[in-house]
């Protein structure tokens, strides 16, 4: 039987890898220092596998077919976007299949992939939490790109079922659950009903030539970085973390998508990963870290259900 040993929620940003600070006092420096401390704490916990819940940013999933949840069961390939790791990642396949079967028995028919591409939305937090150690992972990708999105209540229910599936698995190991996403950030719309022209073509049909889509998109994202006046809602991010410290997701899910987006921006939909991860573990956050980093377009938060020295 598997043992769940804890949960880590962590923001990600392309700029954390593209333009890391050269001094801890620079924007993002506090976040990266705390991420290193989390990696040291995780190393002491010595997980045998990591379940990583995170989004995709149009490197694997497009609106020709957009599944709400995709589980990788055999092979995971890092896309290598924004200087994140590219190439094969180790997959805990036995645990992945046990999760699939457990979730299906609980009424969640997830899409699955024998060869799942994962971008920085999964890879960056995986590498930061594990400190680069090749701990086998189970990737679970959530659609947070644009509506229709899985409801936040559905995500909490999925998280509870995920926890039961892990605990009921025959995988004999210690499992850490990691969520990658959020917190508040405002991004251009990816909703096919709101965009037109080249962008609409790419979010629907980009699968035909993913590298070409990335080559067009990445310079646009890179150009957004470095703005000290970019919008981040630190007050809302603080409120969100406090709800997870109280182990009470209800005030968050009660917001609904419109109020969530008003407070945390379109990128705030990524907090679904945190809701799933904490519900899987079923414990309050006991350690949090937060730094608003407008230069990275994001509020950079970390939360853990275990102490971080």
């Amino acid at each position: 039987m598997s043992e769940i040993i804890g949960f880590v929620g962590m923001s990600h940003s392309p700029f954390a890898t593209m333009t890391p600070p050269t001094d801890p006092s620079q924007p993002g420096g506090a976040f990266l220092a705390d991420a290193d401390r989390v990696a040291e704490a995780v190393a002491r916990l010595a997980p045998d596998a990591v379940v990583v819940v995170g989004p995709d940013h149009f490197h694997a999933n497009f609106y020709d077919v957009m599944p709400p949840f995709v589980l990788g069961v055999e092979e995971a390939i890092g896309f290598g976007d924004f200087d994140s790791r590219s190439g094969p990642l180790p997959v805990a396949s036995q645990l992945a299949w046990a999760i699939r079967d457990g979730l299906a028995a609980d009424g969640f028919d997830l899409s699955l992939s024998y060869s799942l591409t994962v971008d920085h939305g999964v890879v960056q937090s995986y590498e930061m939490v594990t400190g680069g150690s090749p701990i086998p992972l189970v990737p679970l990708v959530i659609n947070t790109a644009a509506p229709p999105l899985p409801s936040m209540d559905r995500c909490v229910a999925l998280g509870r079922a995920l926890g039961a599936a892990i605990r009921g698995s025959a995988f004999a190991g210690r499992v850490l659950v990691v969520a990658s996403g959020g917190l508040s950030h405002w991004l251009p719309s990816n909703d096919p009903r709101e965009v037109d022209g080249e962008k609409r073509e790419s979010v629907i049909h980009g699968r035909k030539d993913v590298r070409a889509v990335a080559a067009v998109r990445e310079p646009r994202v890179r150009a957004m970085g470095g703005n000290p006046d970019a919008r981040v809602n630190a007050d809302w991010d603080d409120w969100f973390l406090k709800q997870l410290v109280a182990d009470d997701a209800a005030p968050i899910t009660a917001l609904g998508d419109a109020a969530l987006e008003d407070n945390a921006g379109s990128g705030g939909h990524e907090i679904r990963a945190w809701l799933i991860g904490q519900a899987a573990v079923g414990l309050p956050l006991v350690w949090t870290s937060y730094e608003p980093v407008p230069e990275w377009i994001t509020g950079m938060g970390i939360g853990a259900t275990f102490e971080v020295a």
Side-chain angles (χ1 to χ4, degrees):
M1 301 284 285
S2 297
E3 176 190 2
I4 296 179
I5 58 172
F7 164 71
V8 177
M10 180 177 283
S11 302
H12 60 252
S13 169
F15 304 99
T17 48
M18 287 192 304
T19 57
T22 56
D23 183 281
S25 65
Q26 294 177 346
F31 167 80
L32 290 178
D34 284 341
D36 287 343
R37 294 166 60 202
V38 169
E40 292 171 0
V42 168
R44 290 191 290 272
L45 288 173
D48 299 299
V50 181
V51 175
V52 184
V53 185
D56 171 73
H57 305 78
F58 295 100
H59 293 102
N61 299 319
F62 294 84
Y63 277 99
D64 53 348
V65 178
M66 180 60 83
F69 309 113
V70 186
L71 183 71
V73 295
E74 186 172 285
E75 181 180 70
I77 307 293
F79 187 86
D81 56 314
F82 304 114
D83 299 338
S84 62
R85 177 176 168 181
S86 62
L89 300 166
V91 173
S93 190
Q94 180 194 7
L95 177 60
W97 274 108
I99 289 172
R100 194 229 74 92
D101 293 345
L103 290 176
D106 214 353
F108 289 92
D109 297 310
L110 273 62
S111 299
L112 67 83
S113 172
Y114 279 83
S115 183
L116 180 64
T117 296
V118 286
D119 66 17
H120 75 281
V122 168
V123 174
Q124 186 178 106
S125 296
Y126 165 68
E127 293 219 292
M128 286 187 178
V129 169
T130 62
S133 298
I135 302 171
L137 82 158
V138 176
L140 173 58
V141 173
I142 315 301
N143 174 31
T144 64
L149 303 170
S151 74
M152 288 187 280
D153 284 327
R154 183 68 169 164
C155 288
V156 171
L158 173 65
R160 290 171 180 152
L162 173 64
I166 294 171
R167 294 186 181 93
S169 165
F171 176 79
R174 296 159 57 81
V175 179
L176 179 73
V177 179
V178 174
S180 177
L183 302 177
S184 64
H185 55 303
W186 275 256
L187 301 172
S189 175
N190 292 309
D191 190 334
R193 297 167 298 183
E194 297 177 352
V195 299
D196 53 21
E198 179 187 359
K199 183 165 187 178
R200 189 171 193 277
E201 176 70 13
S202 69
V203 298
I204 296 175
H205 300 295
R207 193 186 309 275
K208 296 175 182 175
D209 193 345
V210 180
R211 293 289 170 186
V213 170
V216 171
R217 181 171 181 267
E218 289 205 10
R220 294 174 179 167
V221 175
R222 289 173 187 266
M224 295 170 65
N227 178 9
D229 297 320
R231 189 178 181 187
V232 171
N233 188 346
D235 289 340
W236 189 88
D237 292 341
D238 178 67
W239 175 84
F240 171 77
L241 291 172
K242 285 179 177 174
Q243 306 315 304
L244 300 193
V245 168
D247 194 17
D248 185 7
I252 303 167
T253 61
L255 290 173
D257 286 357
L260 172 63
E261 194 160 327
D262 286 345
N263 285 282
S266 56
H269 289 299
E270 291 180 351
I271 60 97
R272 283 165 167 76
W274 290 61
L275 297 178
I276 293 170
Q278 190 183 27
V281 178
L283 293 172
L285 299 183
V286 301
W287 180 89
T288 62
S289 165
Y290 180 73
E291 181 187 5
V293 191
E295 292 84 353
W296 293 0
I297 325 174
T298 307
M300 300 299 291
I302 313 175
T305 59
F306 50 85
E307 293 292 347
V308 176

